[in-house]
Amino acid sequence: MDNRMRGKALPAGLSRREVLGLGAAGMAALVLPRWAFAADEKVKVAAIFATPIEEPWDHQIHVALQKAEKELGIEYKWSEKVQTADFGRVMREYAQGGAQLIMGDAFAAERESRRTAKQFPKTAFLFGSGAGPAEPNFGVFDNWIHEPAYLSGMIAGKMSKSGTVGAVAAMGIPEVNRLVNAFFAGAREVNKDVKRKVTFIGSFFDPPKAKEAAIAQIDAGVDVIYAERFGVIEAAQEKGVFAISNMSDQSSLAPDTVITGPVWDMYPTVEQAVKLVKAGVFTAQDYGDFSRMAKGGSSLAPYHKFDEKLPADVKDMVEKKKAEILEGMFRVDVDENTPTSD
């Protein structure tokens, strides 16, 4: 167990306040009793990560929770590199230690995390998951950043000289597939003849393997590559081709290589969950919509050096499509089928 996981027990007394004006959410709160919060009391939040904290997916959750420490005044503790066999134990220790909201990624420990959550019905759980919420207290979220992935694909399609774009990704699961498919769909909107190459490395965090796969694609003609996993940008930089980053703004890794990329901002999700926990109305629901562009949960990374390098017509094209997405006039298709190379 991470030695940062130290907390005091929750107050002994429970308070069921009258819920007025909260509609269905307020009524649902009766299922999940809440603790009485003093005006200045901090919500105790814990996070459990299966990968090292620098892995982009978990890193974005961690960054959002750190921001919530400053802006929402939560008390935050976390554990990283938690193996599936230990997941339930770590969840129990956090819950027994006083955590009122427990977050993290449950993809590799779906069954165990749900079984454990049932043992603590007064604790709110919110996990990244490929399945749905479970009453009364297990909420779910995911990185619905396919919209900026589509915009990135449009840029890739315009900037490719070879007519072949690539993607190196974790594995062929729905939450990865929809990003890669959106990227390719964007590329084909601007160049219907563009060819695609995709490689799955079979891991969420294996930079050397991702780099090797990227080099193979580049040697096969790819000149713009989507770095869905860490390791790809390094290969693109060494080979002198463009890269599209993923999850966070990664321009600093290779300023002359990384054009832009989809950014996942988990803060809107965290903010909503903390507010509901503090109000005593947290319920088992899907919080995925808070990751969409219209909610501020995703965006396109700044162009940085490429602000001057990208042709004006490409930037105008992207801004127009972005506006259509935000106004609800264009919807990026959610395609969760496993993509293949052409």
Side-chain angles (χ1 to χ4, degrees), residues 72-106:
L72 302 178
I74 68 170
E75 181 181 314
Y76 173 46
K77 304 176 188 297
W78 75 93
S79 297
E80 60 182 327
K81 296 184 283 189
V82 178
Q83 299 297 313
T84 301
D86 293 326
F87 216 85
R89 174 183 59 79
V90 177
M91 287 176 68
R92 286 191 293 275
E93 290 180 355
Y94 273 129
Q96 292 166 348
Q100 293 138 316
L101 171 63
I102 299 177
M103 299 184 63
D105 60 283

Side-chain angles (χ1 to χ4, degrees), residues 5 62 94:
M5 203 289 293
H62 180 61
Y94 273 129

Side-chain angles (χ1 to χ4, degrees), residues 30-57:
L30 299 178
V31 179
L32 181 58
R34 63 171 165 152
W35 300 100
F37 281 89
D40 59 348
E41 185 180 350
K42 293 184 177 182
V43 176
K44 298 177 177 67
V45 182
I48 306 170
F49 302 118
T51 68
I53 204 67
E54 64 265 29
E55 188 275 322
W57 204 95

Side-chain angles (χ1 to χ4, degrees), residues 168-205:
V168 174
M171 53 195 73
I173 57 177
E175 38 281 331
V176 172
N177 292 342
R178 62 172 172 258
L179 304 186
V180 175
N181 284 324
F183 171 76
F184 286 137
R188 283 185 167 167
E189 177 178 328
V190 301
N191 180 0
K192 63 181 179 61
D193 296 322
V194 74
K195 294 182 179 179
R196 63 186 188 185
K197 291 190 179 296
V198 59
T199 306
F200 295 107
I201 63 171
S203 171
F204 289 117
F205 193 73

Side-chain angles (χ1 to χ4, degrees), residues 90-161:
V90 177
M91 287 176 68
R92 286 191 293 275
E93 290 180 355
Y94 273 129
Q96 292 166 348
Q100 293 138 316
L101 171 63
I102 299 177
M103 299 184 63
D105 60 283
F107 290 99
E110 288 279 5
R111 295 184 184 278
E112 182 58 31
S113 61
R114 291 164 187 270
R115 281 197 298 265
T116 304
K118 287 182 179 180
Q119 298 170 18
F120 301 93
K122 300 185 184 79
T123 303
F125 294 87
L126 181 57
F127 278 85
S129 171
E135 297 292 350
N137 60 336
F138 193 90
V140 298
F141 63 86
D142 206 348
N143 63 327
W144 291 90
I145 59 173
H146 55 295
E147 294 163 329
Y150 185 93
L151 298 176
S152 299
M154 294 176 70
I155 294 171
K158 282 289 190 181
M159 296 300 289
S160 175
K161 293 181 180 180

